[in-house]
Amino acid sequence: MATEATTTNFQNSDFRPVPQPPDFHPEVIVSPHDGLHFWQFMIAGSVAGCVEHMAMFPVDTVKTHMQALGSCPIKSVGVRHALRSILKSEGLPGLYRGIGAMGLGAGPAHAVYFSVYEVCKKYFSGENPNNSAAHAVSGVCATVASDAVFTPMDTVKQRLQLGNSAAYRGVFDCVKKVLKEEGFGAFYASYRTTVLMNAPYTAVHFTTYEALKRGLIEISPESVSDERVIVHATAGALAGASAAVITTPLDVVKTQLQCQGVCGCDRFKSSSIGDVVKTIMRKDGYNGLMRGWIPRTLFHAPAAAICWSTYEAAKAFFQEINASSESG
């Protein structure tokens, strides 16, 4: 009887292994939020922004020179000609003029950028990690906030990139001269254009990144932990490149507004986007609105790959710390 009872219990459906169909794949569970503190998002974003912009700064310098019009040293729209001209006139240090301003602006701006994005994503998406509309809206909110922090230093950075050592001796000399000659408003002359450019950029960027990240994870969910860096870098690069090409015309307008009057570049009566576009069209036609799109893409694709992989790695680091503190 005992043997019979044991056999009956063993054959109970609760103890039977459930056979899986041949095409079964484990479900990929994506947390709608990463469970980090606000300050942890800020630190992760700050580190990612600094690493990204410092690594890609020479490419950004070439792009800035190509987009500037007027009697600036570089006339050609070719990447090779622009690079050769910078190296000939200022040498290798010319590629890094303004990097101090970038360092001062990138950290705080990206801290705001990513922390606002994460908070908005949690609020707008609810419990649905696949809500593309929430990713787009959150990206727009993030760029409006971060551009308010970054635009003044970006203006200084681009003026240093274009001006020779006689024009500005450094970051603080540039700030002092701009305040004295043009007033505080000059630092925000391009803010509206920057937001109008970065709003669609971040909407496309974040939506594409989140979708690509999940798609790449679903391709090989069993090895996602081993390939985490590759997934984030690939998704970031594709998202950055596609968003960069789409928003190049507005980036040209932004550069014009930030660099007006520097080394002979045009000065505009107002910060109207329409007036700047008309000036560009009159000089170079439609091609003028796409000046620098190649270095811009060459900048944003690897920059986004570096930024996202660094940011996600920093988040993973904080997640481990939080898990350890909770278990301890």
Side-chain angles (χ1 to χ4, degrees), residues 171-194:
V171 174
F172 296 106
D173 181 59
C174 180
V175 171
K176 184 170 65 175
K177 286 184 177 179
V178 172
L179 282 173
K180 182 180 179 180
E181 297 171 6
E182 303 174 52
F184 182 77
F187 292 110
Y188 282 94
S190 68
Y191 178 68
R192 181 175 57 179
T193 305
T194 302

Side-chain angles (χ1 to χ4, degrees), residues 198-327:
N198 285 340
Y201 176 88
T202 51
V204 173
H205 188 141
F206 281 108
T207 303
T208 306
Y209 172 77
E210 296 283 1
L212 286 172
K213 180 177 72 171
R214 180 170 177 82
L216 290 170
I217 290 174
E218 288 179 341
I219 291 174
S220 183
E222 64 280 354
S223 59
V224 65
S225 296
D226 298 331
E227 300 174 358
R228 181 181 299 167
V229 174
I230 297 175
V231 167
H232 296 152
T234 302
L238 294 174
S242 58
V245 173
I246 293 172
T247 57
T248 293
L250 284 170
D251 188 49
V252 174
V253 174
K254 183 202 73 157
T255 298
Q256 288 288 297
L257 288 171
Q258 291 185 164
C259 297
Q260 53 185 317
V262 180
C263 66
C265 294
D266 293 311
R267 185 175 292 282
F268 303 97
K269 295 180 180 179
S270 70
S271 58
S272 168
I273 296 173
D275 290 342
V276 180
V277 170
K278 288 178 182 177
T279 301
I280 295 171
M281 293 283 290
R282 186 172 66 250
K283 284 193 168 188
D284 284 343
Y286 288 104
N287 290 336
L289 293 173
M290 292 301 294
R291 290 184 69 161
W293 76 268
I294 294 178
R296 178 169 163 77
T297 304
L298 291 175
F299 173 88
H300 281 284
I306 294 170
C307 187
W308 278 113
S309 55
T310 304
Y311 178 64
E312 298 284 3
K315 286 203 303 182
F317 171 75
F318 283 124
Q319 286 170 342
E320 290 181 6
I321 291 179
N322 293 348
S324 299
S325 61
E326 289 175 2
S327 62

